[in-house]
Amino acid sequence: RDGLACVLYEHLFESVVARLNDRLRGSDAGQHEVRRLGISDLAGFENFDRNSLEQLLINLSNERLQKFFNDAVFREEAVEREEEGLPTLEEEVSCFHDNEDTIKLIDGVLNELNDRTDLAMRAVHMGRPSNPSRTEDYVAAVVHGNRSHCKFAAPGPHERRSFGIRHTAGTVKYHCDDWLCRNASRPPAGSSDLLQSSN
């Protein structure tokens, strides 16, 4: 149900934006004149007392936006200076923070979540009961695979359902209690095709 609602919302949103862009383009627009509506929903970096999957996804989007900004401003400036034969100023280089390692860490955490979710879904389809230790197994795998990563904050010895990530804006502790169930809420197969073919 939730997965289908997400697909429906996505298609509705894309349809509204496409219609607005068609209206903005209009018939009187010149051949080279481009008028488009762009929407950017910038959710701020989130760090609450209890952070879950939503906060991880929001913080990942902020890390990606930060990387885009870094690449557009700092790297492009350095390339322009080099092309013009100007020295790169040390203070410009020192304020540039490359967060690619943080993004790769989060991508790995999410890939592990997808793999664990797929395993759990197969077990359920085979008639096996839900296993409450799957969350702890997931966190153990994340910790094992990332313990030495410079951006990973390992949980304490008695914390088996959480871990931390050192983001650009600070360290966030994530609680993974229901991540597998939430991640399993995917849209039914073919739901996207069904919505596209409907009026």
Side-chain angles (χ1 to χ4, degrees), residues 18 43 72 93 105 123 139 148 158 174 190:
V93 174
L105 170 63
V139 172
S148 62
H158 301 295
Y174 294 100

Side-chain angles (χ1 to χ4, degrees), residues 19-145:
R19 286 182 183 199
L20 288 171
N21 280 328
D22 287 345
R23 290 284 250 198
L24 284 173
R25 208 168 295 118
S27 59
D28 62 334
Q31 190 174 11
H32 298 291
E33 183 181 352
V34 176
R35 290 186 273 174
R36 293 190 57 151
L37 172 67
I39 298 175
S40 179
D41 179 12
L42 298 178
F45 180 79
E46 292 193 353
N47 189 0
F48 301 119
D49 291 336
R50 189 160 185 85
N51 300 288
S52 191
L53 184 58
E54 291 81 7
Q55 283 71 44
L56 180 67
L57 296 173
I58 288 168
N59 291 340
L60 173 60
S61 71
N62 284 309
E63 292 287 357
R64 289 190 190 279
L65 285 170
Q66 180 67 43
K67 179 168 179 30
F68 176 78
F69 177 80
N70 289 348
D71 290 346
V73 174
F74 295 112
R75 286 195 179 145
E76 292 298 321
E77 180 67 24
V79 167
E80 282 183 31
R81 285 179 151 311
E82 188 176 312
E83 287 173 354
E84 294 175 9
L86 298 171
T88 302
L89 301 175
E90 188 60 38
E91 59 268 14
E92 288 178 356
V93 174
S94 66
C95 71
F96 170 70
H97 171 77
D98 186 4
N99 64 342
E100 182 65 30
D101 51 356
T102 306
I103 292 170
K104 285 182 178 178
L105 170 63
I106 298 171
D107 285 343
V109 165
L110 293 174
N111 286 338
E112 183 68 33
L113 178 63
N114 286 335
D115 291 347
R116 296 286 169 156
T117 302
D118 290 343
L119 286 173
M121 295 294 288
R122 274 185 265 168
V124 168
H125 289 306
M126 293 172 64
R128 294 188 201 141
S130 179
N131 183 348
S133 69
R134 286 197 177 110
T135 296
E136 292 169 7
D137 293 343
Y138 163 68
V139 172
V142 168
V143 170
H144 177 75

